[in-house]
Amino acid sequence: QVQLVESGGGLVQAGGSLRLSCAASGRTVSNYYLEWFRQAPGKEREFVAAINWSGRSTNYADSVKGRFTISRDNAKNTVYLQMNNLKPEDTAVYYCAAGQSLSRNYELMGYWGQGTQVTVSS
């Protein structure tokens, strides 16, 4: 079992920054990739970024590449998503997820957090 708890969402103006956190717990958490997905109203959940537990492997959606950075702190069992130069189209509920392999397909993720709302005003 892996438990995931997100935090750090909020309201920000376009061009601003936010940092999301995902605290992971569970005795096998180091076996999982940790990923961020997002879902805007009326849209399908989409992949944002992923990182393996060593941090040597990361992957980003084209829409966020160069603006978002995923990182992790193994001592705190926490994964972060630093989001810079935010745009109104980044508005969504952001979810942390854990999967046994790196995947952009949300259906392959085994565990999910509750989500945190990010709203970017124009």
Side-chain angles (χ1 to χ4, degrees):
Q1 283 281 359
V2 175
Q3 294 80 43
L4 304 169
V5 179
E6 304 99 331
S7 60
L11 173 64
V12 64
Q13 288 188 330
S17 298
L18 281 175
R19 188 177 80 158
L20 305 183
S21 300
C22 174
S25 61
R27 61 183 181 91
T28 60
V29 65
S30 60
N31 294 338
Y32 290 85
Y33 279 80
L34 290 178
E35 309 198 10
W36 289 96
F37 288 78
R38 66 187 182 186
Q39 189 166 19
K43 294 189 176 181
E44 194 170 75
R45 194 165 296 191
E46 65 174 359
F47 170 77
V48 176
I51 190 168
N52 73 338
W53 201 246
S54 71
R56 286 193 286 268
S57 177
T58 59
N59 197 267
Y60 296 92
D62 288 345
S63 59
V64 307
K65 202 171 293 184
R67 300 188 298 122
F68 291 11
T69 302
I70 189 170
S71 62
R72 87 282 179 268
D73 182 338
N74 287 347
K76 296 181 178 180
N77 275 356
T78 300
V79 174
Y80 303 98
L81 185 68
Q82 177 66 44
M83 306 185 294
N84 297 329
N85 190 20
L86 282 160
K87 304 175 180 181
E89 52 264 41
D90 294 317
T91 295
V93 177
Y94 283 70
Y95 297 91
C96 183
Q100 293 189 315
S101 61
L102 194 155
S103 176
R104 297 185 173 213
N105 184 351
Y106 69 88
E107 294 179 333
L108 298 182
M109 296 294 106
Y111 301 96
W112 292 91
Q114 82 285 357
T116 185
Q117 176 71 46
V118 171
T119 303
V120 184
S121 63
S122 57

